[in-house]
Amino acid sequence: MPDAILVLNAGSSSLKFALFPNDDGQPTAILRGKIAGIGTNPIFSVKDRTALPKERFPVMARTLGLEDLIPLLINWVNAHLGDVTITAAGHRVVHGGEYRVGPARVTQALMRDLETLVPLAPMHQPHNLSAMRYVAATLRDLPQVACFDTSFHRTQNHLSKLFALPRALSDEGIQRYGFHGLSYNYIASTLPQHLGHKADGRIVVAHLGSGASMCAMKGRQSVATSMGFTALDGLMMGRRCGTLDAGVVLYLMQEKGMTAEQISTLLYRKSGLLGVSSISNDMAVLEARDDPHAREAIELFCHRAARQVAALATDMGGLEAIVFTAGIGENSALVRRLICERLAWLGVDLDGAANLQGTRKISSPDSKVGILVIPTDEEAVIAHATRALTRD
């Protein structure tokens, strides 16, 4: 067994991880896993390279945080894969700021810079930083690499990044950044396998999961994206509202007397699919419910997604392919169908049987726009970058 790279994606309630060989071959994970339910009922689960369950067990102490769970994870790796030596760690970091155009070695100076971006990604950035600190405390002198979701979108032109705000605020960094860049990076790298010479055409990638966004790609580079200054903007999501009239926020403050913290909780945690349905933030749960509010939440999600595809097509001057990816995009035939039906006027025509089967290509022979379902792999992107930056 070769030396290995540990990939971590730390969130407020979960710690996703993967272990990749530290060699020059095609990166295939040795294992992948997750510690879910942090702070409530933590469950540790692992799958091997065949995607079969390897182990699943509850973590008994509910109060355990990342400072306890990262050592637990490393101890589990040492106990079950004793011939593996972790030689580097790579981290997903949601916000890299205006000037990060690629991955970077983790240093104290970098972490100080990333700390200043916490207000722009309050649900993610603090946990990304905590994971770096706890790895450093557990595995001293282990090289670590930060990979930024925002970096992929640095290819956008100046107009695509601007808000219509006073120039002084734009100069301070209040601009559109975009997120889910690691996912888009992976999809861009695989497009030639699926589209051949058309891979460099005008493509919208729909990353639809608990967090959701879309990216317009031309030449496999980001031209425009639905998310903006924060990961709150754009599409309706599991718990996040997406694009919202700023006047609503003013109304909540001035007329409802809500504090900034209360509004933040409302927009980040109580809105989206959960807020509209009053049932769940999980698309699979809503699809299984015979409830008008559940159906309305699904319809609104798809309505706004279709509208975003059309907007991004305008940014590119056309549309040649749509790629669905991430949890909802890869698994919900209903969501794919409802979005594509709303885009029929653009020449989008779905193959119903292929869509239900979840095959890679789901567009009909008559469709003017290719429609694909491609699983994403952000961890592989992080592993590749970590390997490149830590190679002796």
Side-chain angles (χ1 to χ4, degrees), residues 110-176:
L110 175 67
M111 287 196 285
R112 286 194 295 271
D113 287 345
L114 298 179
E115 192 77 46
T116 66
L117 300 171
V118 166
L120 308 191
M123 300 295 107
H124 303 88
Q125 197 87 346
H127 309 292
N128 303 156
L129 287 165
S130 293
M132 296 177 199
R133 296 190 184 100
Y134 297 137
V135 168
T138 305
L139 298 172
R140 296 182 183 278
D141 301 321
L142 185 78
Q144 298 188 74
V145 172
C147 299
F148 308 104
D149 263 332
T150 48
S151 293
F152 186 77
H153 302 293
R154 296 302 87 200
T155 55
Q156 293 179 14
N157 65 37
H158 184 59
L159 288 181
S160 294
K161 300 175 186 177
L162 280 181
F163 289 116
L165 290 171
R167 185 168 297 277
L169 293 175
S170 299
D171 292 344
E172 288 177 12
I174 299 180
Q175 60 174 257
R176 300 183 63 85

Side-chain angles (χ1 to χ4, degrees), residues 284-350:
V285 171
L286 298 181
E287 288 185 22
R289 292 288 291 269
D290 182 18
D291 184 290
H293 291 160
R295 184 66 187 194
E296 185 174 62
I298 296 170
E299 292 280 356
L300 182 59
F301 181 92
C302 297
H303 166 75
R304 293 182 62 167
R307 184 169 62 182
Q308 189 64 62
V309 172
L312 292 174
T314 300
D315 281 297
M316 297 185 291
L319 181 64
E320 293 165 87
I322 300 170
V323 177
F324 289 98
T325 193
I328 297 172
E330 294 169 25
N331 297 303
S332 177
L334 174 63
V335 167
R336 295 192 298 261
R337 175 173 66 80
L338 291 176
I339 292 172
C340 289
E341 285 176 350
R342 288 169 165 82
L343 296 169
W345 63 276
L346 274 174
V348 175
D349 188 39
L350 195 67

Side-chain angles (χ1 to χ4, degrees), residues 90-327:
H91 299 264
R92 178 197 178 200
V93 179
V94 167
H95 216 305
E98 185 175 358
Y99 301 109
R100 300 285 173 190
V101 295
R105 288 286 291 263
V106 173
T107 63
Q108 290 298 320
L110 175 67
M111 287 196 285
R112 286 194 295 271
D113 287 345
L114 298 179
E115 192 77 46
T116 66
L117 300 171
V118 166
L120 308 191
M123 300 295 107
H124 303 88
Q125 197 87 346
H127 309 292
N128 303 156
L129 287 165
S130 293
M132 296 177 199
R133 296 190 184 100
Y134 297 137
V135 168
T138 305
L139 298 172
R140 296 182 183 278
D141 301 321
L142 185 78
Q144 298 188 74
V145 172
C147 299
F148 308 104
D149 263 332
T150 48
S151 293
F152 186 77
H153 302 293
R154 296 302 87 200
T155 55
Q156 293 179 14
N157 65 37
H158 184 59
L159 288 181
S160 294
K161 300 175 186 177
L162 280 181
F163 289 116
L165 290 171
R167 185 168 297 277
L169 293 175
S170 299
D171 292 344
E172 288 177 12
I174 299 180
Q175 60 174 257
R176 300 183 63 85
Y177 289 97
F179 301 91
H180 292 136
L182 298 174
S183 176
Y184 295 130
N185 189 327
Y186 179 80
I187 297 298
S189 73
T190 67
L191 285 177
Q193 302 171 29
H194 306 289
L195 293 173
H197 68 279
K198 295 182 180 180
D200 289 328
R202 295 167 293 189
I203 298 168
V204 169
V205 180
H207 178 105
L208 306 180
S210 179
S213 70
M214 291 186 182
C215 179
M217 292 186 194
K218 198 172 182 180
R220 290 189 286 152
Q221 292 186 328
S222 178
V223 173
T225 188
S226 60
M227 281 183 172
F229 182 59
T230 70
L232 191 62
D233 195 15
L235 301 178
M236 175 180 170
M237 304 175 223
R239 294 176 178 270
R240 286 171 259 170
C241 61
T243 297
L244 182 72
D245 180 350
V248 173
V249 177
L250 296 176
Y251 176 83
L252 295 175
M253 293 173 63
Q254 296 167 350
E255 302 299 325
K256 295 290 187 179
M258 293 179 68
T259 66
E261 183 177 356
Q262 290 172 326
I263 293 172
S264 178
T265 299
L266 173 71
L267 301 185
Y268 275 102
R269 297 185 180 276
K270 296 183 178 181
S271 299
L273 292 172
L274 175 62
V276 176
S277 71
S278 300
I279 296 170
S280 176
N281 64 307
D282 188 323
M283 183 64 76
V285 171
L286 298 181
E287 288 185 22
R289 292 288 291 269
D290 182 18
D291 184 290
H293 291 160
R295 184 66 187 194
E296 185 174 62
I298 296 170
E299 292 280 356
L300 182 59
F301 181 92
C302 297
H303 166 75
R304 293 182 62 167
R307 184 169 62 182
Q308 189 64 62
V309 172
L312 292 174
T314 300
D315 281 297
M316 297 185 291
L319 181 64
E320 293 165 87
I322 300 170
V323 177
F324 289 98
T325 193

Side-chain angles (χ1 to χ4, degrees), residues 30-49:
I30 300 167
L31 57 82
R32 297 174 187 266
K34 182 177 183 179
I35 303 176
I38 296 175
T40 55
N41 185 31
I43 300 291
F44 184 104
S45 59
V46 183
K47 294 182 179 180
D48 63 18
R49 65 173 74 235

